[in-house]
Amino acid sequence: MPAKSYDSVYCVRLAQAAAHAGMAGRTDMVVGRRHNRFVHVPIDTVVSHGNTVAPDGDLWLSVLESTAQPPEMR
């Protein structure tokens, strides 16, 4: 399924923020969005705990539906 225009814009903005962070010498971090601002988050913070998604839950079924993937993608 092709990306929506706002998805494309969001990805470009993430890429720009990541490039600026790299040019500023930032390492060991990822770029994210919090309260409508792009922020730098340490990788250690991002991976400090995991989340799980139930393969038969509403969230995963919504992902499959919105990306037009078959239900067998569990």
Side-chain angles (χ1 to χ4, degrees), residues 1 53-55 57-71 73:
M1 171 176 272
V53 177
D58 289 340
L59 176 60
W60 184 245
L61 294 175
S62 296
V63 169
L64 294 178
E65 184 177 287
S66 66
T67 57
Q69 295 184 60
M73 295 294 295

Side-chain angles (χ1 to χ4, degrees), residues 1-70:
M1 171 176 272
K4 305 265 191 262
S5 58
Y6 50 84
D7 291 331
S8 296
V9 170
Y10 181 63
C11 287
V12 165
R13 301 232 9 238
L14 275 176
Q16 289 171 340
H20 288 157
M23 289 187 286
R26 304 279 176 128
T27 60
D28 297 328
M29 49 76 64
V30 296
V31 176
R33 194 163 179 196
R34 177 91 170 149
H35 299 296
N36 294 321
R37 296 187 60 124
F38 286 96
V39 295
H40 302 163
V41 184
I43 290 176
D44 291 340
T45 301
V46 174
V47 300
S48 64
H49 69 281
N51 292 331
T52 58
V53 177
D56 56 349
D58 289 340
L59 176 60
W60 184 245
L61 294 175
S62 296
V63 169
L64 294 178
E65 184 177 287
S66 66
T67 57
Q69 295 184 60

